[in-house]
């Protein structure tokens, strides 16, 4: 279990992280979300022991992070960190050896991972000659070859096309299934919504929301209700229930933002009684909506 | 140590695969071969030598002049003729022993009169005819030239008091060798240190540093790089010396170098008159000098975020090495001047200046030992300071840090 306890880190006069705490259960996938400059990367680097926190602590299975522990972690930084002129396989083996693997084992595992990530044909090519997506795959292989206990991924889907993003996601799920704990940050909400077991939203160096998706939804104050057809009688039912003006989407459906505590059963019965109701769908807030609401307090955005 | 070894081997392989390394090594070997062999080549194909003379004039005067001109081997009279043609041409000189000049010699108003027709004007001036002064006096006074020559020649013997060099010729050769070695020392330190700087800048700008620093200790990472570049530099300098060692005996055997070399039967460094102890000093001062500069360069490179900024941090760190090279040049002339002695103990300058002093003068044994100890201590301080700056600098992006921030990193 990783415990991040009230960490703070400043750079000169800039307080990158003020007070961040969360717990990541072993064998889970944890999503660290936040806008650019929120403090995600600083938090990740502090977890990895690259930065020492000004205050607070990070522990893995109860022990503070030291060099020996860091060797058992893996890290995929946001920007490509590869030697452009080094060959793909050599590069993967080099990073694996840095994490303590013997040369032979590193070579065997490099072959396995290159095959898994479909980059075997580039084994003897210089990394700088590869496409951005393939470089990202090589970077992932470098980060996981030593079978890390904790894998930290900063924007792992950045620059990947949908097919490669799916391949990457499948690999991450497999790693999780084999016991690796993952922390990842991403702006691709739809991709990580299903993959992550828990989330933490940070903004301006502070935690704005955290918990499982169910926890976050439970505290979300509204629900979206999609209704059709667009008839005056049906609109009247919602107006009577205190709903604000709906948004009409392209297919003519009405989208109402209703208070989460609304008695949706009673509302459904009233709508059915009012006219020929075709659609009545209550939608749980998406991770994107939860995220926007969490950071919106800082940025002055209206949460939807 | 395992981490250091992995970084060392990886860096070594990367550098050995670099075309630039092979280009620099082969280029250096070629340049050394050219420097050694070029004089032989050009002397073989040269059309003439300015010391080869055609003498023209009355036979008795020409005979006496020839004796005087050739007695110190300053000139070689390749042909004697009664008179020169009205227009002396290059073709005439070429036809007369490929001479560099034709000189018409005559007596006029009780004095010697010379009309010189040189192929190369810059090679002749008044001072070059001092050999003929006794003949001039003979014509003016009637005293035989050989008596005058005997009277103006002073018997002398030069006794070196420092016993470092047997004679002035060996001393002059040692100066030449010392200059060459200082130049190689300078080149090797600059090339190797900049190679470390480029490697660090690459890792910083490509963000590889972020992964590496999360995995191994920055000090091991820095040390692995620095030692790998040192090994490469030793191979490179070794290949240059080996080239010289192979070619010098051949060059030394030729008449051109016969007067300069200590003996053609010697080989390698001995043919150059290099004391083996000097080679040891060279290696010691190279290693310590390189480690001082390489660690400083690596720390400087860790502060930049873009390769374009490399020039900004290079300037302040390149000044000491250039300054040290210039002080070493002065040391070649005045090895025991107070300022030179002082500089031979100052870190960063010491490897160049002390090496120059031990190469060309007699230095009390404790001085190079003290200089080596100071340099070794400086290397330790450089590693400590560079390790701290490197640890902070490698993860610092954006503007170059201020001196205050760098100082804070050292205190952290």
């Amino acid at each position: 279990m990783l415990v991040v306890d009230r960490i703070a880190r400043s750079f000169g006069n800039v307080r990158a992280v003020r007070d961040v705490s969360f717990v990541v259960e072993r064998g889970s996938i944890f999503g660290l979300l936040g806008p650019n400059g929120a403090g995600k990367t600083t938090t990740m680097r502090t977890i990895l022991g690259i930065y020492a926190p000004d205050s607070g602590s990070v522990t893995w299975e109860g022990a503070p992070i030291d060099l020996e522990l860091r060797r058992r972690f893996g890290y995929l930084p946001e920007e490509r960190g590869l030697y452009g002129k080094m060959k793909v396989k050599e590069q993967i083996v080099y990073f694996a050896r840095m994490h303590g693997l013997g040369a032979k084992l590193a070579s065997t595992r490099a072959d396995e991972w290159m095959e898994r990530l479909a980059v075997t044909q580039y084994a003897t090519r210089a990394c700088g000659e590869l496409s951005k997506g393939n470089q990202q795959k090589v970077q992932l292989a470098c980060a996981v070859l030593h079978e890390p206990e904790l894998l930290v991924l900063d924007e792992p889907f950045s620059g990947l096309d949908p097919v490669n993003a799916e391949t990457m996601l499948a690999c991450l799920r497999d790693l999780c299934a084999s016991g690796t704990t993952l922390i990842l940050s991403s702006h691709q909400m739809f991709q990580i919504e299903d993959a992550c077991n828990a989330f933490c939203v940070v903004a301006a160096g502070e935690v704005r929301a955290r918990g499982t998706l169910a926890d976050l939804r439970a505290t979300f104050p509204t629900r979206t209700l999609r209704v059709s057809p667009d008839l005056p009688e049906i609109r009247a039912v919602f107006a009577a229930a205190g709903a604000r003006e709906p948004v009409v989407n392209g297919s003519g459906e009405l989208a109402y933002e209703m208070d989460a505590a609304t008695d949706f059963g009673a509302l459904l019965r009233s709508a059915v009684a009012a006219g020929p109701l075709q659609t009545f769908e209550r939608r749980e807030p998406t991770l994107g909506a939860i995220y926007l609401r969490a950071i919106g307090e800082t940025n002055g955005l209206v949460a939807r | 140590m395992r981490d250091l070894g992995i970084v060392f081997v990886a860096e070594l392989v990367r550098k050995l695969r670099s075309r630039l390394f092979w280009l620099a090594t082969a280029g250096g070997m070629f340049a050394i071969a050219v420097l050694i062999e070029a004089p032989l080549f050009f002397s073989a194909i040269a059309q003439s030598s300015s010391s080869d003379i055609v003498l023209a004039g009355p036979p008795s005067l020409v005979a006496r002049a020839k004796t005087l001109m050739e007695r110190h081997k300053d000139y070689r009279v390749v042909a004697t003729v009664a008179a020169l043609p009205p227009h002396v041409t290059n073709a005439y000189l070429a036809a007369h022993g490929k001479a560099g000049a034709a000189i018409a010699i005559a007596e006029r108003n009780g004095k010697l009169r010379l009309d010189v027709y040189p192929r190369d004007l810059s090679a002749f001036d008044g001072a070059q005819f001092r050999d003929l002064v006794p003949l001039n006096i003979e014509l003016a006074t009637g005293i035989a030239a050989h008596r005058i020559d005997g009277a103006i020649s002073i018997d002398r013997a030069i006794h070196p008091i420092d016993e470092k060099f047997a004679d002035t010729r060996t001393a002059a050769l040692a100066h030449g060798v010392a200059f060459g070695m200082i130049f190689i020392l300078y080149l090797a330190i600059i090339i190797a240190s900049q190679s470390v700087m480029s490697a660090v800048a690459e890792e910083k700008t490509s963000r590889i540093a972020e992964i590496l620093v999360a995995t191994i200790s920055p000090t091991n990472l820095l040390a692995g790089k620095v030692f790998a570049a040192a090994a490469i530099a030793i191979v490179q300098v070794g290949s240059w010396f080996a080239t010289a060692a192979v070619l010098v005996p051949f060059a030394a055997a030729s008449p051109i170098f016969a007067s300069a070399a200590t003996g053609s039967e010697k080989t390698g460094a001995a043919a150059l008159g290099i004391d083996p102890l000097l080679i040891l000093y060279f290696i010691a001062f190279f290693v310590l000098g390189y480690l001082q500069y390489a660690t400083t360069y690596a720390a400087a490179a860790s502060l930049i975020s873009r390769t374009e900024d490399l020039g900004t941090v290079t300037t302040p760190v390149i000044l000491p090495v250039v300054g040290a090279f210039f002080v070493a040049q002065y040391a070649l002339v005045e090895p025991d001047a107070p300022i030179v002695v002082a500089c031979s103990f100052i870190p960063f300058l010491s490897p160049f200046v002390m090496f120059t002093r031990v190469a060309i003068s007699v230095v009390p044994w404790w001085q190079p030992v003290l200089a080596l100890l100071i340099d070794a201590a400086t290397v330790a301080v450089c590693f400590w300071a560079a390790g701290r700056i490197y640890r902070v600098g490698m993860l610092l992006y954006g503007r170059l840090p201020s001196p205050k921030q760098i100082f804070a990193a050292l205190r952290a």
Side-chain angles (χ1 to χ4, degrees):
Chain A
M1 185 167 67
L2 178 82
V3 178
V4 177
D5 186 22
R6 289 175 294 174
I7 59 166
R9 183 71 159 91
S10 297
F11 299 96
N13 297 325
V14 180
R15 295 181 71 186
V17 173
R18 293 158 190 266
D19 179 19
V20 170
S21 299
F22 54 81
V23 172
V24 182
E25 295 296 334
R26 187 147 196 175
S28 67
I29 303 181
F30 187 85
L32 190 59
L33 312 177
N36 296 328
K40 301 188 298 293
T41 301
T42 303
T43 302
M44 287 179 160
R45 287 175 175 175
T46 308
I47 290 169
L48 289 161
I50 298 172
Y51 293 150
D54 297 333
S55 62
S57 65
V58 180
T59 57
W60 174 250
E61 303 297 359
I65 312 296
D66 59 12
L67 188 61
E68 274 313 301
L69 210 48
R70 288 209 302 260
R71 282 181 198 285
R72 285 151 42 196
F73 293 172
Y75 180 38
L76 189 144
E78 182 180 0
E79 294 184 45
R80 308 292 177 279
L82 297 171
Y83 293 101
K85 289 179 183 169
M86 200 186 269
K87 290 171 184 169
V88 168
K89 185 174 175 183
E90 277 177 16
Q91 187 127 215
I92 298 170
V93 170
Y94 175 61
F95 281 106
R97 297 211 63 204
M98 288 284 205
H99 283 95
L101 256 62
K104 200 174 173 184
L105 181 60
S107 177
T108 310
R109 286 197 191 164
D111 289 334
E112 290 168 9
W113 270 94
M114 283 192 299
E115 195 177 336
R116 191 169 177 180
L117 293 164
V119 289
T120 305
Q121 65 270 40
Y122 307 122
T124 54
R125 292 259 299 269
C127 284
E129 296 172 10
L130 269 55
S131 69
K132 202 175 174 184
N134 283 327
Q135 284 188 30
Q136 184 77 328
K137 288 180 184 176
V138 173
Q139 186 89 70
L140 178 69
C142 291
V144 302
L145 215 70
H146 59 293
E147 296 178 348
E149 293 175 18
L150 175 70
L151 179 61
V152 179
L153 307 107
D154 199 354
E155 299 288 347
F157 307 109
S158 167
L160 294 182
D161 62 46
V163 175
N164 280 323
E166 269 309 310
T167 307
M168 172 78 83
L169 199 57
C171 283
L172 299 184
R173 283 189 170 122
D174 288 347
L175 282 165
C176 182
S178 61
T180 299
T181 305
L182 290 95
I183 299 177
L184 58 91
S185 72
S186 177
H187 294 297
Q188 268 87 0
M189 301 294 166
F190 67 95
Q191 271 168 337
I192 63 166
E193 183 170 326
D194 293 334
C196 293
N197 306 99
F199 302 89
C200 178
V201 181
V202 292
E206 294 173 330
V207 173
R208 294 300 170 90
R210 69 177 158 232
T212 62
L213 191 57
D215 294 337
L216 295 171
R217 281 174 173 163
T219 57
F220 201 79
T222 62
R223 294 290 182 273
T224 303
L225 207 56
R226 296 167 70 88
V227 180
S228 73
D230 182 4
L231 296 173
E233 298 84 352
I234 292 176
R235 279 181 176 250
V237 169
F238 284 89
R244 284 176 294 189
E245 264 309 289
V247 174
V248 183
N249 67 19
S251 55
E253 284 181 345
L254 304 173
Y256 284 101
E257 199 68 25
M258 305 295 293
D259 192 284
T262 304
D263 183 349
F264 289 98
L267 198 59
L268 173 61
R269 286 191 291 276
S270 302
V272 169
L277 190 67
Q278 290 175 0
T279 310
F280 185 95
E281 182 189 359
R282 190 187 80 163
R283 288 197 170 178
E284 289 298 307
T286 60
L287 182 63
I290 293 166
Y291 166 80
L292 283 175
R293 182 175 179 278
I295 65 164
E297 290 174 15
T298 307
N299 295 346
L301 298 174
V302 177
R304 290 172 180 274
Chain B
M1 281 303 287
R2 182 183 174 278
D3 295 342
L4 196 151
I6 293 170
V7 176
F8 177 84
V9 171
E11 285 291 321
L12 209 61
V13 170
R14 282 181 66 209
K15 286 182 195 304
L16 285 173
R17 280 194 185 149
S18 152
R19 277 186 206 147
L20 203 65
F21 164 74
W22 291 108
L23 221 61
T25 307
M29 290 166 76
F30 179 72
I32 285 168
V34 166
L35 281 173
I36 294 169
E37 299 296 332
L40 300 179
F41 174 74
F42 286 112
S43 83
I45 64 164
Q47 289 189 330
S48 67
S49 162
S50 57
S51 61
D52 290 347
I53 302 292
V54 176
L55 267 184
S60 65
L61 204 56
V62 164
R64 280 180 287 166
K66 182 174 185 292
T67 306
L68 288 169
M69 290 177 80
E70 289 185 336
R71 74 189 190 285
H72 296 312
K73 297 186 170 53
D74 295 333
Y75 295 100
R76 193 160 64 103
V77 176
V78 292
T80 56
V81 292
L84 293 175
H87 299 290
V88 178
T89 60
N90 283 337
Y92 178 82
L93 294 177
H96 289 78
K98 293 183 179 178
I103 300 172
I105 188 164
E107 182 186 354
R108 191 171 298 172
N109 301 325
K111 285 184 69 180
L112 201 59
R113 162 75 190 192
L114 302 180
D115 288 293
V116 183
Y117 302 91
R119 185 190 294 274
D120 177 9
L121 272 177
S122 62
F124 289 90
D125 60 26
Q128 287 180 298
F129 298 102
R130 285 196 188 123
D131 287 346
L132 293 175
V133 167
L135 185 57
N136 199 29
I137 296 172
E138 181 190 316
L139 294 175
T141 64
I143 302 168
H146 70 272
R147 286 184 59 198
I148 297 163
D149 192 31
I152 61 174
S153 297
I154 301 168
D155 288 338
R156 63 184 186 273
I158 298 169
H159 304 282
I161 57 170
D162 61 14
E163 296 178 355
K164 188 170 180 76
F165 304 111
D167 50 44
T168 51
R169 185 174 291 159
T170 317
L173 184 66
H175 274 72
V177 169
F179 176 79
M181 290 178 84
I182 294 162
F183 191 67
I184 290 178
L185 189 70
Y186 171 77
L187 266 186
I189 286 179
I190 282 273
I191 292 173
S193 301
Q194 291 209 329
S195 145
V196 172
M197 194 175 205
S198 309
V200 170
E202 182 198 1
E203 286 177 354
K204 174 80 186 286
T205 53
S206 67
R207 310 279 175 139
I208 298 167
E210 212 172 312
I211 306 169
L212 295 176
V213 175
T215 315
I216 70 166
S217 106
T219 310
N220 279 345
L221 182 59
L222 180 67
K225 283 184 180 311
V226 167
F227 291 147
I232 287 290
I234 287 169
V235 169
Q236 210 160 40
V237 173
S239 69
W240 297 343
F241 271 115
T243 306
V246 168
L247 294 178
V248 160
F250 295 108
S254 83
I256 291 174
F257 289 108
S259 61
T262 51
S264 59
E265 74 282 359
K266 294 182 178 178
T267 57
L272 275 172
I274 300 176
D275 180 356
L277 183 64
L278 193 61
I279 302 278
L280 288 179
Y281 275 129
F282 180 88
I283 294 169
F285 281 117
F286 164 71
V287 170
L288 293 174
Y290 160 75
L291 290 176
Q292 290 174 36
Y293 283 103
T295 48
T296 310
Y297 279 34
S302 73
L303 299 174
I304 63 146
S305 301
R306 303 171 304 159
T307 41
E308 299 95 287
D309 294 333
L310 210 50
T312 315
V313 294
T314 304
T315 311
V317 292
I318 210 163
L319 286 178
V321 73
V322 174
F325 184 66
F326 279 113
V327 177
Q329 299 304 303
Y330 179 57
L332 273 174
V333 184
E334 292 283 347
D336 298 318
I339 182 75
V340 172
V341 174
C343 286
S344 61
F345 297 105
I346 296 174
F348 292 94
L349 303 183
S350 163
F352 294 94
V353 183
M354 185 56 88
F355 174 73
T356 308
R357 290 186 61 219
V358 295
I360 61 160
S361 81
V362 174
V363 179
W365 67 268
W366 60 268
Q367 289 196 7
V369 171
L370 179 62
L372 287 170
L373 288 174
I374 290 172
D375 284 331
T378 307
V379 167
V381 172
C382 284
F383 259 106
W384 172 82
R388 285 180 171 244
I389 293 173
Y390 185 80
R391 172 187 277 273
V392 175
M394 286 301 262
L395 298 165
L396 209 60
Y397 291 96
R399 281 189 301 179
L400 279 173
S402 64
K404 194 178 165 187
Q405 283 174 300
I406 296 170
F407 186 66
L410 286 174
R411 292 184 61 193

